[in-house]
Amino acid sequence: MSKFIYNFSEGNKDMRDLLGGKGANLAEMTHLGLPVPHGFTITTEACHAYQRTLSLSSDLLTQLDASIAQLSQETGKQFDSHDNTLLISVRSGAAISMPGMMDTILNIGLNDQTVKALAQTTNNERFAYDSYRRLLAMFGNVVYGLDEAAFDQVLTDIKRKNGYASDLELTAEDLKQVVTEFKEIYQTSDKGNFPQDPKTQLLAAINAVFESWNNHRAQVYRKQNHISENLGTGVNVQEMVFGNAGENSGTGVAFTRNPATGEKALFGEYLLNAQGEDVVSGVRTPQDVGVLKTEMPALYDQLAETAEKLETHYQDMQDLEFTIEKGKMFLLQARDGKRTAYAAVKIAVDQVNEGLITKKQALLRIEPDAISAMLHPEFDKEALAAHQILTTGLPASPGAATGQVYFTAADAKQASEAGHPVVLLRQDTSPEDIDGMIVSQAIVTSRGGMTSHAAVVSRGMGATGVVGAHELNVDYQAKEAKVKQQIIHEGDWVSVNGTTGDLYLGQIKTTEVTVKGDLSVLLEWAKEYSRMGVYTNADTPKDFQKALDYDADGIGLTRTEHMFFKPERLVQMRRLILAEDAEGRKDPLAKLLQMQQGDFYELYKLAEHKEVTIRLLDPPLHEFLPHDEKEVAEVSEQTGISTSKIKERVSSLKELNPMLGHRGDRLAVTFPDIYEMQVQAIMTAALKLANEGLKVAPHIMIPLTDSKIEMAWVRELVVNQIDQATKAAGVTLDYTVGTMMEMPRACVTADQVAEESDFFSFGTNDLTQLTFGYSRDDVGSFMPEYIKKGLLPADPFQTVDTEGVGALMKIAIDKGRQTKPQLPIGVCGEVGGDPASIEFFEQIGVTYVSCSPYRVPVARLAAAQAHLRQAGAETPALAAKTA
Ligand code: ADP
Ligand code: MG
Ligand code: MG
């Protein structure tokens, strides 16, 4: 008989797969001697067994009886007892924390009899009925699927009738009335009465937790966070302690460091005379834990001490849930705290400096994609100064965002699908809103605190978040929000500053941010611990400068075609293409040479001694030609060539499949003078810099190569130009000529191609296009379906397809290095900045990746992590950890 249940005294923190994170940590805290109410955990294996049969096995039921008997002994309490009744919570918890996604039921064991007993033994009728009404609502909603709103309505009505502002004013008599009305909700449903027997309640609750593993919001959350469907959840059964037992009781959450800024200080919120979800649901606005220091100093000290102890023990920032019952503190949960990217970086760097963790641990702890959030824009200072703050809430998740207001998750989702940037504005949010939250640039609520659902989720997603902006009066019916004299309608533009909590009407321009402080320290460590280089794709000095600010190792790809699309150059390019013969091409070529050498000069100069790899012209010629009558007329005017001549030339250059057509090095074969001009421009720039004392080694890359013989032909053309230039100048320069690896044929003959190449650089966009036979520009019509139906794990243009495209890459690398063991190999396609792809590139021996400037820090960290994991460094931290 497998063991399906572990008492808290039996488990430990390393058993999260079996016990779930919550159960494993409750056991660990029990061992640490912290005040954790007694209880036990039903394993995830029991959940699997349930998913197979959709019922609780007889083995489990037998073990459950034994565990309840043990719990009775530990607590000295019994189900259905008149003087010492056992009340318990049933709490879900998977291996990876899924905040708010699964369901928890409190106060199980109460019924019409025990509620009276509880009132009597505690001498607190209000408390007893408050607990009972909570059980009725939670059980009804979670187990029987009764509408939460129906229960809320009863509370709202009775408060309105009596003119109460808060739940706290409800009297014992009111609560009895609430209980009666709640029971009527059961009676009028098709589910029947609330079960009075505690054991029946318990079994139904366990069933419901196992069922909740498959509820819609849990599924959405898992999908969003790439959490496996096969994990399953544990169920924790735990003695209740009561934060709603009066004014010297309460419940709260605390972080050992500030989850928004990373600052080292106890951070959190609590509510007196409250239970469970009250703090996070936003029904009442909680107090800052700082206030506890004056209200209950001894408890504050105990909490601070516990926080310190747990952080040292877990070697990471912790998120704690605690309850105070009549002046006594209990711990109900500890887990690694979710945090903003900004806080994650600061905490990791601080903890290294404090000697708590190693640099390697710090590097493995930050999710690479999360730091791209830190590189997001802020509001432009000047533009901001021109706007008046409309209202201010709590700064729940930093960043700056502008978008159009929507009031429901469904409307937000629809607007986003229609291409609108969305700001979701609500009184508060709940797990049901997850679909709408995912698509929002910013989330704003009028209620709730820094640990409310909206706050936690926006931090988790890296969305800008402002909560508790209580001047906002949200009217869902009218789809508008009032603040002061202003009305915000659906679709209105607002701007949200998650760093300050400020809200503005209208759109505000944003500015770029730079890497500084802790992030630059972390990225230095990343460089220290990585094997692969991180280069950038840059065509302009501005892009390159951005990448240099992010400490790129150089340029892995300059696409020269972008330089030809500036209007004054496009004219020359068109004259070139339209010319009848070599003679006619001379003048435009000379003009282009002049302009192009300036481009290269600027890039080389910025690079100083860093490598710059320049790719010669790649796109189909027809892209440069005019496409309609109006453009033809313009070109005719600019070039003096007749419109009929132009049309004739355009139609002769027309191709059915331009991406498979007259482009890349095929242009060199038909129009050698274009590549010659480009090499001359490169050399002129390099020689000019040599004169100025900066020795540049040109790296020239040939696109679309498919064979050794073709590469040899182009290489000779390039080398001839280099030789002529250096001879004329009487100097020598180092240079390399390499191949873009983007044709499957080149990959499989890479041993030969390498004979003519000084380096390879994978153009994964074309390589993916040609390997799948997917037109890059047309995949939108079917790719989403493929991903939805699980026929593709991800878009292979975003994350390398390791099985197919990756196999070709591996062949090319192995063959290339048979010929030249030291052959440098880069990746300069889209996937060069994708962390999952970078992990693969580390494994197959890629030398460097090259990506857009904004991805450079992400790629750097991913490269370090890939290397550390490969080298078998410390176990990687869970990806889910970074918010
Ligand atoms: P979640 O995973 O959504 O955080 P929990 O299982 O942690 O759900 O339960 C939510 C809250 O319910 C806890 O933070 C705590 O305040 C309260 N709670 C759970 N179990 C108990 C208990 N045994 N005694 C008192 N409060 C409890
Ligand atoms: Mg919890
Ligand atoms: Mg290409």
Side-chain angles (χ1 to χ4, degrees):
M1 180 157 102
S2 25
K3 184 169 164 62
F4 282 137
I5 300 184
Y6 287 74
N7 190 279
F8 289 166
S9 61
E10 293 177 295
N12 65 56
K13 72 172 178 359
D14 300 320
M15 295 168 71
R16 40 186 324 137
D17 284 345
L18 187 65
L19 303 180
K22 199 180 283 170
N25 286 331
L26 283 167
E28 188 78 9
M29 288 198 291
T30 301
H31 286 299
L32 287 174
L34 295 170
V36 177
H38 292 289
F40 55 86
T41 306
I42 304 172
T43 65
T44 53
E45 273 174 19
C47 178
H48 295 147
Y50 176 88
Q51 303 301 344
R52 283 192 295 270
T53 60
L54 295 184
S55 67
L56 305 175
S57 71
S58 60
D59 282 357
L60 176 59
L61 293 175
T62 312
Q63 293 177 38
L64 197 56
D65 284 336
S67 294
I68 293 167
Q70 187 181 347
L71 186 59
S72 288
Q73 206 167 28
E74 286 166 347
T75 59
K77 296 176 182 172
Q78 243 93 64
F79 275 157
D80 257 336
S81 153
H82 286 281
D83 44 13
N84 215 355
T85 194
L86 176 62
L87 300 179
I88 53 179
S89 63
V90 170
R91 318 171 60 191
S92 61
I96 294 173
S97 98
M98 291 188 237
M101 287 297 113
M102 310 288 291
D103 295 305
T104 286
I105 302 175
L106 305 180
N107 309 331
I108 284 180
L110 281 176
N111 55 31
D112 294 350
Q113 302 312 315
T114 51
V115 70
K116 286 183 196 146
L118 185 67
Q120 219 159 41
T121 49
T122 57
N123 198 16
N124 190 342
E125 200 170 38
R126 182 190 187 280
F127 154 68
Y129 282 91
D130 184 55
S131 302
Y132 196 25
R133 63 99 181 168
R134 289 170 187 272
L135 171 63
L136 286 165
M138 277 184 272
F139 190 95
N141 180 240
V142 174
V143 181
Y144 283 180
L146 303 179
D147 188 6
E148 212 175 339
F151 295 104
D152 283 347
Q153 195 59 51
V154 171
L155 282 172
T156 309
D157 287 348
I158 197 163
K159 282 193 287 185
R160 183 175 302 152
K161 197 180 86 194
N162 292 298
Y164 300 154
S166 129
D167 293 358
L168 281 182
E169 294 171 58
L170 293 166
T171 64
E173 287 315 312
D174 294 333
L175 289 163
K176 278 185 188 169
Q177 177 63 29
V178 168
V179 163
T180 309
E181 290 185 31
F182 277 11
K183 286 200 280 189
E184 278 162 15
I185 296 177
Y186 279 78
Q187 279 151 19
T188 53
S189 79
D190 55 358
K191 305 286 178 184
N193 287 334
F194 172 71
Q196 292 286 312
D197 172 38
K199 177 85 182 294
T200 309
Q201 295 170 8
L202 171 63
L203 293 182
I206 294 170
N207 249 297
V209 171
F210 283 157
E211 282 292 324
S212 79
W213 174 257
N214 278 326
N215 75 23
H216 174 67
R217 46 190 227 239
Q219 285 181 22
V220 171
Y221 188 87
R222 287 199 289 275
K223 199 153 177 204
Q224 163 84 356
N225 291 280
H226 310 289
I227 296 170
S228 160
E229 288 294 313
N230 302 325
L231 276 178
T233 180
V235 183
N236 301 287
V237 176
Q238 187 173 29
E239 176 194 10
M240 283 302 302
V241 288
F242 293 98
N244 57 337
E247 282 305 315
N248 58 350
S249 301
T251 183
V253 297
F255 290 82
T256 58
R257 302 187 191 222
N258 186 312
T261 65
E263 188 201 347
K264 189 176 182 188
L266 194 62
F267 175 91
E269 293 171 328
Y270 71 101
L271 273 175
L272 288 183
N273 205 359
Q275 190 176 50
E277 303 285 301
D278 289 0
V279 178
V280 290
S281 71
V283 292
R284 274 160 61 196
T285 300
Q287 302 254 39
D288 192 290
V289 224
V291 179
L292 196 62
K293 208 172 188 166
T294 42
E295 276 189 1
M296 301 179 176
L299 286 176
Y300 180 86
D301 290 346
Q302 191 190 347
L303 185 64
E305 238 168 73
T306 307
E308 179 88 33
K309 185 170 179 176
L310 283 170
E311 185 175 302
T312 310
H313 182 73
Y314 284 104
Q315 292 192 309
D316 198 2
M317 188 263 261
Q318 296 296 298
D319 168 355
L320 311 175
E321 293 177 4
F322 64 91
T323 283
I324 301 165
E325 178 177 316
K326 297 190 194 132
K328 188 170 175 333
M329 163 100 57
F330 293 93
L331 282 163
L332 289 167
Q333 194 170 340
R335 63 182 158 203
D336 294 342
K338 295 241 177 209
R339 61 206 78 175
T340 60
Y342 185 87
V345 171
K346 176 166 169 54
I347 291 170
V349 171
D350 283 353
Q351 287 180 333
V352 170
N353 293 334
E354 291 161 21
L356 191 62
I357 59 172
T358 63
K359 285 186 198 173
K360 292 181 191 177
Q361 280 175 305
L363 286 168
L364 286 167
R365 202 166 269 180
I366 314 289
E367 178 71 9
D369 274 323
I371 61 174
S372 72
M374 294 176 72
L375 309 171
H376 280 166
E378 295 169 347
F379 285 128
D380 178 89
K381 294 261 180 324
E382 265 175 40
L384 193 64
H387 283 76
Q388 273 212 341
I389 296 175
L390 181 64
T391 187
T392 300
L394 300 170
S397 181
T402 290
Q404 289 172 272
V405 168
Y406 291 89
F407 295 99
T408 69
D411 290 341
K413 190 161 176 245
Q414 203 179 2
S416 161
E417 279 164 2
H420 300 269
V422 168
V423 172
L424 182 66
L425 201 167
R426 293 190 56 78
Q427 272 176 9
D428 49 31
T429 64
S430 76
E432 268 87 17
D433 298 323
I434 196 83
D435 289 343
M437 299 174 84
I438 288 169
V439 301
S440 297
Q441 313 295 312
I443 295 160
V444 179
T445 66
S446 58
R447 295 200 297 209
M450 289 291 276
T451 52
S452 64
H453 181 263
V456 172
V457 173
S458 57
R459 282 199 291 273
M461 301 187 313
T464 298
V466 170
V467 300
H470 56 80
E471 285 181 337
L472 284 172
N473 225 315
V474 182
D475 183 342
Y476 293 129
Q477 229 73 60
K479 294 200 175 178
E480 61 180 40
K482 278 202 199 80
V483 50
K484 296 166 193 164
Q485 299 313 317
Q486 289 282 352
I487 296 182
I488 305 174
H489 301 99
E490 183 181 76
D492 284 355
W493 286 89
V494 297
S495 295
V496 185
N497 187 338
T499 315
T500 59
D502 296 328
L503 201 71
Y504 304 83
L505 284 179
Q507 290 172 266
I508 303 180
K509 206 171 94 197
T510 50
T511 58
E512 328 218 310
V513 287
T514 50
V515 171
K516 50 184 181 278
D518 295 315
L519 182 56
S520 66
V521 172
L522 189 86
L523 291 174
E524 258 168 55
W525 295 344
K527 203 164 180 172
E528 199 179 312
Y529 282 93
S530 46
R531 178 187 63 75
M532 285 189 287
V534 177
Y535 289 66
T536 191
N537 300 346
D539 311 336
T540 63
K542 185 165 164 264
D543 282 354
F544 189 24
Q545 185 58 57
K546 183 95 256 166
L548 288 172
D549 292 344
Y550 292 158
D551 204 21
D553 293 323
I555 293 185
L557 169 65
T558 292
R559 299 175 165 100
T560 50
E561 55 270 22
H562 294 175
M563 301 168 173
F564 290 97
F565 285 107
K566 292 184 191 167
E568 70 275 17
R569 299 182 183 197
L570 192 55
V571 181
Q572 300 306 333
M573 193 63 191
R574 285 171 168 171
R575 285 183 62 210
L576 179 76
I577 300 168
L578 293 168
E580 310 233 351
D581 49 25
E583 199 45 41
R585 293 207 290 268
K586 265 201 180 129
D587 181 60
L589 273 172
K591 295 221 160 72
L592 284 169
L593 172 64
Q594 199 55 38
M595 298 189 252
Q596 180 112 83
Q597 73 193 31
D599 301 329
F600 299 145
Y601 176 85
E602 294 292 327
L603 291 177
Y604 283 146
K605 198 168 165 160
L606 264 183
E608 295 188 19
H609 293 285
K610 292 182 168 169
E611 274 176 37
V612 174
T613 301
I614 293 170
R615 179 179 71 184
L616 302 184
L617 202 63
D618 183 50
L621 279 188
H622 92 116
E623 281 191 19
F624 295 102
L625 289 170
H627 295 290
D628 56 33
E629 289 287 339
K630 193 169 155 256
E631 274 188 302
V632 169
E634 266 170 34
V635 173
S636 170
E637 197 162 303
Q638 287 163 342
T639 58
I641 302 169
S642 71
T643 52
S644 60
K645 234 300 75 72
I646 294 173
K647 282 186 197 160
E648 191 187 303
R649 193 82 182 113
V650 169
S651 81
S652 82
L653 284 169
K654 195 174 159 66
E655 293 175 298
L656 284 179
N657 282 315
M659 290 308 280
L660 301 176
H662 197 177
R663 57 177 288 225
D665 61 354
R666 296 162 202 166
L667 292 173
V669 175
T670 52
F671 296 93
D673 36 12
I674 298 180
Y675 271 27
E676 283 168 3
M677 177 277 289
Q678 288 199 292
V679 180
Q680 284 163 22
I682 290 170
M683 291 310 291
T684 312
L687 291 169
K688 187 169 167 204
L689 282 159
N691 249 337
E692 294 169 12
L694 182 69
K695 201 133 183 169
V696 174
H699 300 280
I700 297 173
M701 191 150 77
I702 310 302
L704 237 65
T705 308
D706 48 35
S707 68
K708 171 186 162 179
I709 190 162
E710 183 197 35
M711 180 65 192
W713 195 93
V714 182
R715 183 184 177 94
E716 194 185 320
L717 176 154
V718 169
V719 170
N720 266 337
Q721 292 303 316
I722 295 175
D723 285 348
Q724 280 177 29
T726 48
K727 231 178 252 151
V731 294
T732 56
L733 274 188
D734 289 336
Y735 65 86
T736 62
V737 183
T739 313
M740 279 291 274
M741 270 289 159
E742 50 190 347
M743 300 285 116
R745 192 187 188 289
C747 292
V748 296
T749 59
D751 48 343
Q752 299 174 43
V753 178
E755 287 174 30
E756 299 294 336
S757 309
D758 301 317
F759 64 89
F760 286 170
S761 180
F762 286 102
T764 49
N765 299 346
D766 271 309
L767 186 58
T768 303
Q769 162 163 281
L770 292 166
T771 304
F772 276 91
Y774 287 167
S775 159
R776 254 156 90 177
D777 306 308
D778 301 313
V779 286
S781 55
F782 58 87
M783 177 88 69
E785 277 306 297
Y786 268 67
I787 293 171
K788 209 164 110 195
K789 299 200 163 113
L791 305 180
L792 281 174
D795 177 349
F797 293 103
Q798 303 293 320
T799 296
V800 70
D801 155 48
T802 54
E803 249 178 49
V805 177
L808 272 174
M809 293 176 77
K810 194 159 169 2
I811 290 170
I813 293 174
D814 293 346
K815 288 199 158 199
R817 289 203 176 130
Q818 272 166 32
T819 305
K820 290 184 177 162
Q822 302 302 323
L823 189 70
I825 293 174
V827 174
C828 59
E830 198 69 27
V831 299
D834 169 62
S837 307
I838 288 171
E839 182 100 31
F840 176 73
F841 300 149
E842 171 78 21
Q843 289 161 15
I844 61 172
V846 164
T847 319
Y848 66 91
V849 293
S850 188
C851 55
S852 73
Y854 282 99
R855 295 301 291 180
V856 166
V858 176
R860 177 78 72 193
L861 181 58
Q865 292 188 350
H867 187 55
L868 287 171
R869 285 193 194 118
Q870 183 96 331
E874 283 88 341
T875 358
L878 280 173
K881 206 179 279 176
T882 326

